């Protein structure tokens, strides 16, 4: 599928990009072995690119309270309901890797209620989905339900903020018609040789 | 994940099943190398099992008008909107194999509008999704739209009937909490050695 | 209204149909005094016809657990939400007859929550409607609610499976534009002379 | 079914009602042979009763532009989507009588798109349903669509106002749990002897 | 914004209107200092005008059980969900005045769950919104919830009937494209000099 | 209303905040005469605060293609559908000021289709609302509709990105229960003395 457009918008030549963005992309390239299309497509607007990834990293690269795998579960569950192809495919891959579980991403993407996750994680996803789809109805009872599973208020902020951030991210991907890299589809499905 | 229950209901011992059902299962076992859980879980009710698979085969094993891959696309697109984990995972695998395309199933499952399919296939899925979600609004204009893409009225019956059959199938899977076999997740993703 | 088309698709001449289908139709003709259009319209595809009616009879002709009238209530309540004219009119007639109640079909069709039925039947319809409209959310609590009314797990399968089967049936009727026979409208409304 | 409560609220003794309301009820009693429950249940609040029936008559007893049968079609189509049992059953009866058609009420109640009505009436019901369910989206294009079928702007007011009035009526009936009289179910279904 | 049309329909010259309607309008003119457009636009149909305002006054000019400010809260909360510009702007003004609170109308209009109101008022609005949007599901539990807050059954009728009446009113305003008077926007926002 | 909590989460003491955040807040304080609560409540998480406002300013402080007032229209229209009280009240105020129009914010908040805006602005809001509520269905036809009104593809990115950013913002405000400052309600409604 090489050669398929990855965005409705022009994709900038890496060399023409500001230095800091080149570096950011170079780091992820080295780490992943390829450049995820979200970096190339959003680089069309460097200022928004910087804000997007700063926000993203603040929420997704933490390992306190929620594990990194749990953060990815939130992304996959909510992005699937928003029908964001890029986010489900790319973060599905990351979820498989971070959870060291080749099945959980497809499970959470189709129906998180029937996934191999803990009751605590189920409550986490119930909340995340409510923030994503009916945030106007979030109230104290929803907070109580999460506290009953041992989540702190800071954990709840994380859950809600990840759901909120991907509400933005899903819409940007749908807006620009962002195409997931072919590499994501197989990542985390087969044991590394 | 072996050992996880595959149904809310008792799963019959193969040997206790009627002869014809044993044979049906034995054929699929040989062909696939494992027994898909839909056979084991629905065998709880032999009479319904027979009707289910007769209906299924009448719609899915044809190769006239629609290709077999296109039939599977319909299953994946509609089952995903109905959040049927079994159908998306199992028929996603079959779609990958029949389309000889490791990406298309995940694409169709998250947002068929952004998939590597032809405009004709896109129109087919628009119709299938409308039958699945708002069949009360199906009218002549929907038929015209498909005819404009070269579909015959018999093809349209196939598209609608597959969508209708999986409206049943999705609900049965959600009712009994049918678990997809682990084998499906990787099928069709890597070239056979 | 004689002469109005009963399907978008060709309606086969009875004499050209396979023997078993002719017989099936002849039996219902004798019993009802007319041939319900679902038989004539679906006979366009004999193989699917056989699977459809085998499935139908397995679920609807039982009298264990749920009464036959209760099975028809499920059909009427869910078909009405799916706006299936054929199913509401035809099964409304059967419901009136099986329940020996000229009012209950119209009640259940417009708002089952306000019908002359028992609390147990109300719970049955709550479940059936959830399977029909949001089967992805069916979980243990829904099973518990029915068990509290004395339903066995086999009864619950029946309720869910009837709802699922008519999810298929409603979509087929809407697809082919199936017209209810004029005879159904008055059936069960007036005492037989 | 005699003896079933017809309202959640107290039903006033006819003799205790203000003179004008007694007269209004006496007229309908004479004309219909029974007192429709909407009169008895809403008489709980005489002032609102008067406004309700003045409004009702202003819209429903006209015979200019729309026929009386067409006015009832609007009531049945919109009340069915609002799941108002009283309105569907009672106005279904009136529709059968005014249209001199024993089938059309049940057709319009389940899916007006598949009823024995003219294309002009279909356009009328499309508009009425939009006013009932998404009035915020009504715009000039909707008016144009009706004008193309020969409706005047006064006719369009009638269509919209009837839909609006029964938006009120449906909610009142659901609020007080208004029970349709048993008499309505059979009215207009069999030729008068 | 003077000179903008206030209705899709002709607005009658005051002097040509029936005497009683002229008087009704003259009273509100004197009281408010201007004629709210709902009077001018609905006067196009004098008979419906009379019924509309009789009904309105019976529900809104009472001060028993619910305060007048609470009645306006119901109007604003439900009209906002129905996206009725006239009702939200005009009744928002009246709410500010009757509640002597310049903030509460905008709060209730955007998300009543986050407004400076009492838990009792919150329960009232939960019920009113359910009547407005899903009246078919109103049942005894909803009545119990209000009784627990000290509402009598007559109060509940008021809540439900106001919600029902504005279901009509919102649709009429959307139908005729009723424009709120410029005067409403600022009313009740600044202390009278 | 002073003294009401402005967030479910602790609101940091300004003096304890990082220098850059103190400065950012001090600038807005000077400009507005008060500190909008979004600054105080989001300062609970400095890193996310920085990303949020960088993103915000990149989209909202531009004056190319779309005017600043038009950007605020997008915020108000989409935030209202998401029932975000903070965003509707605060950005309603900014919209009034930037558009020099005391009416337009309340109009757009209740039903943008009936506002005193140009057809071009109407098309802009149609697109913004679609990105906000059904971004999965955004396709080439939506882009064409905007190009027909003279919008460039960069303008369309702006429209979509503002809608996407406030999808995040609305959810954060609903999550933390962000209270709009009392000052916003009156801003832009009365001419400055």
């Amino acid at each position: 599928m090489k050669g398929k457009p990855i965005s409705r918008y022009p994709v900038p030549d890496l060399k023409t990009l500001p230095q800091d963005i080149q570096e950011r992309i170079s780091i992820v390239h080295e780490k992943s072995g390829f450049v995820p299309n979200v970096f190339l497509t959003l680089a069309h607007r460097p200022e928004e690119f910087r804000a997007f990834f700063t926000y993203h990293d603040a929420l997704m690269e933490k390992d306190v309270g929620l594990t990194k795998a749990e953060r990815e579960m939130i992304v996959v569950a909510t992005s699937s309901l928003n029908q964001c192809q890029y986010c489900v495919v790319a973060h599905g891959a990351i979820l498989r890797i971070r959870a060291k579980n080749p099945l959980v991403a497809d499970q959470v993407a189709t129906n998180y209620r029937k996934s191999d996750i803990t009751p605590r994680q189920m409550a986490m996803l119930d909340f995340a989905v409510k923030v994503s789809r009916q945030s106007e109805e979030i109230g104290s009872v929803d907070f109580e339900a999460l506290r009953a599973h041992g989540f702190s208020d800071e954990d709840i902020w994380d859950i809600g903020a990840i759901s909120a951030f991907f509400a933005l991210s899903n819409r940007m991907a749908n807006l620009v018609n962002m195409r997931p890299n072919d590499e994501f589809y197989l990542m985390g499905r087969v044991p590394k040789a």
Side-chain angles (χ1 to χ4, degrees), chain A residues 41-56:
Chain A
T41 54
L42 294 190
H44 178 62
R45 293 259 182 115
E47 222 177 336
E48 296 168 37
F49 175 103
R50 287 182 194 108
F52 183 92
F53 287 104
T54 307
Y55 216 138
H56 174 277

Side-chain angles (χ1 to χ4, degrees), chain A residues 60-128:
Chain A
M60 301 303 289
E61 299 299 331
K62 275 167 73 174
D63 218 355
V64 182
L66 311 181
T67 66
K68 287 190 179 176
E70 284 167 344
R71 292 167 198 269
E72 298 296 331
M73 278 178 204
I74 295 169
V75 180
V76 172
T78 60
S79 300
S80 172
L81 291 172
N82 292 332
Q83 299 186 38
C84 177
Q85 200 173 81
Y86 185 87
C87 300
V88 172
V89 172
H91 287 273
I94 306 175
L95 171 52
R96 285 190 295 271
I97 289 169
R98 295 203 161 164
K100 297 186 204 316
N101 177 333
L103 309 187
V104 70
D106 294 344
Q107 290 174 349
V108 168
T110 47
N111 191 341
Y112 73 91
R113 299 170 204 83
K114 296 178 186 293
S115 302
D116 296 328
I117 59 178
T118 64
R120 180 183 142 101
Q121 289 167 338
M122 198 74 77
M124 175 186 81
L125 294 182
D126 283 341
F127 186 87

Side-chain angles (χ1 to χ4, degrees), chain A residues 55 59 74 78 128 131-132 159-169 171:
Chain A
Y55 216 138
L59 292 168
I74 295 169
T78 60
V131 169
S132 185
I159 299 169
I162 292 169
S163 178
F165 179 77
F166 280 88
L168 153 66
S169 184
R171 282 159 181 80

